[in-house]
Amino acid sequence: MTNHDLANLIFPNITKTMEDYEKEYPARNLKENACVTRFAPSPTGFVHIGNFQAALIDFVMAKKSGGVFYLRNEDTDKSREVDQAVEIIMQVLRYYGMEPDEYEYDGKVIGNYGPYIQSERKEIYHAGIKHLIEIGRAYPCFCEKEHLDQMRENQEKNKMRTGYYGRYATCRNMSVEEAIEKIKAGIPYVIRFRSNGNFDDRFWFDDLVRGKLYLNQNDQDIVIMKSDNLLPTYHFAHIIDDHFMHTTHVVRGEEWLPSVAVHIELFEAMGWTPPKYIHTPLILKQDGEIKRKISKRKDPEALMSYYMEKGYPVEAVIEALMTIINSNYEEWHTANPDKSFLDFDFQAKKMSSSGGALFDLEKLNNISKNIISKMDKETLYQNAYEWSKTYSDVLKNLIEQDPEYFKQIINIEREQKKPRKDYETYASIPNEICYMYDDLFEKMDTYDFQKITDKNEIATILKTYIEDYYDEQDDKDTWFQKIKELTTKLGYCADMKAYKENPEAYKGSVADISTVIRVALTTRSMTPDLYELLRLLGKERIEKRFKKFY
Ligand code: GLU
């Protein structure tokens, strides 16, 4: 009896060989140095910012080189799978403009190297495992859980490395005859890889971020197919996939670095060249004094849904991530504001390779404010409206009740050299402009009058202003001139310089008068340009708001 008999007993229906699959999935017809990258998340129902960062690098590398960026659903662990997980992943990629070139979604397979869902690839995996059994690099293991638990306990007690390797790997020495007999007798088994490695020896490999580095060789006979689930484990499945889908670069989090030893050994056992590796640094956050790994349990900003729900512009999130990917990105983009991130010369070796990369929400907020401030009103309107349709009924209603009015509001101090930076996110817009809507304004009742607090004084200022000075026809200079006249008339100082030199001589200044007008109209002491606000509100609404005070 030979390995061949064993392989046929385990996989009687697998007839295709590795050569057959090589023909089915021939080399891609791409120009030299084109990168084929993949985003290969597990269907957990969310996209972690670290995974997204890897996908962004995948996307950049493929697009820049005229290559292919594809999406593969790594669902070998069915127990972790969540409904609609693929939909969520596609949604995130599309939201950020990172449409994969190849994928399987919504009943469609796009691309010639599919299926792109691991659970649909059982046959090719089985053919791969069958091949490994035939060449003596995989074998059935009949060890029961109790035995393995006991073994582990002993290893721990004796301070030995844990795992199924060397002399602990009892089934690796079983004869083919015995294995066949056991299988025929219906004894349950898993399939293990037969490692040829020696843990005490090192092997070198090239990580494009970290450069040349070594790891201990793998000597674990890892499980490549579990009995309870006839899909292979991730370790084996992704080797088959990356080979037959012709992945050139694997971009993934540094938590995978220790697994490289077994992955490379698997590639070699199959007789294949491994892809190049880019292990991205962990994304860290500042938590008080310490920097720690951003965590999906503790930090809402660990998930991409956070940025979508908050309404950060797509460009802001990309900018913030590109900046931690390559720290010279920011400088480059400032010098080349009209270029896209795809024009940037991404360099894996410029990524931080020690201690992770700090992602700072404050910084993102600043980037976002800047980007929103530089949008022209049409763009901001379109973006905010699109976003509101999914994420904010409040904003959607504000916009829909009068799109032109909304545009005029957001256009105040926009489209100029130094535009205002009022909006951090699209979600923050309603709070910034609510006082421009009467129904919302009616619910606001905390007025921040600052210096002038006397009720009679406030009443006098407002009444005199609207009755004697305000004229909707005035241009901005005339308007301000009149505010100054009002100021003087009421015994305040219209000249800020004179006021600062001798504040005791006056009841207050033109700034205090303006503040009273501003606060009565908006409840707030900080707003965009008052002249513009007054014009947009119109005399009738101004008067109505003032009359609350007299
Ligand atoms: N499915 C793995 C994950 O979700 C992918 C690891 C890899 O990219 O090789 O982390």
Side-chain angles (χ1 to χ4, degrees), residues 38 40-42 51 72 74 80 118 234 238 242 250-253 255-256 263:
R38 81 306 196 268
S42 305
N51 287 345
R72 186 169 74 221
E74 301 216 321
R80 286 177 65 203
Q118 288 187 327
Y234 153 77
H238 94 288
D242 281 333
V250 165
V251 184
R252 60 186 179 190
E255 67 276 15
W256 290 103
H263 295 167

Side-chain angles (χ1 to χ4, degrees), residues 151-163 165 167-168 199 220:
M151 187 179 93
R152 190 186 178 90
E153 223 173 85
N154 289 343
Q155 287 169 331
E156 278 168 1
K157 210 162 59 209
N158 298 325
K159 305 223 170 343
M160 299 294 291
R161 258 185 321 120
T162 56
Y165 63 93
R167 65 189 168 93
Y168 300 106
F199 186 79
Q220 301 274 348

Side-chain angles (χ1 to χ4, degrees), residues 203-240:
F203 80 99
W204 288 88
F205 84 103
D206 214 358
D207 181 87
L208 297 190
V209 177
R210 286 146 230 266
K212 270 213 172 316
L213 51 97
Y214 63 79
L215 292 170
N216 293 86
Q217 287 183 8
N218 173 63
D219 65 350
Q220 301 274 348
D221 285 0
I222 62 158
V223 174
I224 53 178
M225 192 177 97
K226 293 188 226 161
S227 56
D228 61 335
N229 166 2
L230 289 174
L231 278 172
T233 54
Y234 153 77
H235 294 296
F236 185 73
H238 94 288
I239 301 290
I240 293 275

Side-chain angles (χ1 to χ4, degrees), residues 9 17 29 36 74 155 161 166 227 259 282 367 418 476:
L9 178 65
T17 63
N29 191 8
V36 179
E74 301 216 321
Q155 287 169 331
R161 258 185 321 120
S227 56
S259 310
L282 283 179
I367 292 175
K418 281 204 164 175
K476 194 163 180 182

